């Protein structure tokens, strides 16, 4: 059986996805000020809680991806 190679290309669809990702990702620079305004002194706790939640999701995806030996 021949092994398929991973194609490393960026097309129009990927360019749009990267642009949208950049626009949404830029919100991280405004979020701390908004969170501090809304939550006051509890905003660092909220960021830590969100980080723990995100870490849990990342570890689930890492475990799942370890079950597959091929791309795609």
């Amino acid at each position: 059986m021949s092994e398929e190679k991973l194609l490393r290309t960026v097309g129009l669809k990927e360019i749009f996805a990267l642009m949208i990702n950049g626009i949404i990702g830029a919100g991280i620079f405004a979020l701390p000020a908004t969170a501090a305004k809304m939550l006051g002194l509890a905003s660092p706790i909220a960021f830590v809680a969100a980080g723990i939640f995100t870490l849990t999701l990342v570890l689930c995806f890492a475990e799942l991806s370890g079950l597959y030996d091929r791309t795609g």
Side-chain angles (χ1 to χ4, degrees), residues 6 27 38 46 66 69:
L6 178 63
M38 292 174 62
D69 60 349

Side-chain angles (χ1 to χ4, degrees), residues 23-34:
I23 292 168
I24 293 172
I28 192 67
F29 298 111
L31 182 63
T34 305

Side-chain angles (χ1 to χ4, degrees), residues 45-61:
I45 296 169
F47 274 96
V48 170
I52 291 170
F53 178 71
T54 304
L55 179 64
T56 304
L57 288 174
V58 167
L59 292 175
C60 288
F61 281 117

Side-chain angles (χ1 to χ4, degrees), residues 4-6 68-72:
E4 293 183 27
K5 299 281 184 183
L6 178 63
Y68 297 95
D69 60 349
R70 292 181 287 159
T71 61

Side-chain angles (χ1 to χ4, degrees), residues 4-48:
E4 293 183 27
K5 299 281 184 183
L6 178 63
L7 298 177
R8 298 184 184 271
T9 60
V10 178
L12 185 61
K13 181 174 67 170
E14 290 83 9
I15 299 250
F16 279 117
L18 286 170
M19 287 182 355
I20 291 170
N21 182 42
I23 292 168
I24 293 172
I28 192 67
F29 298 111
L31 182 63
T34 305
K37 182 179 176 184
M38 292 174 62
L39 300 174
L41 293 175
S43 63
I45 296 169
F47 274 96
V48 170

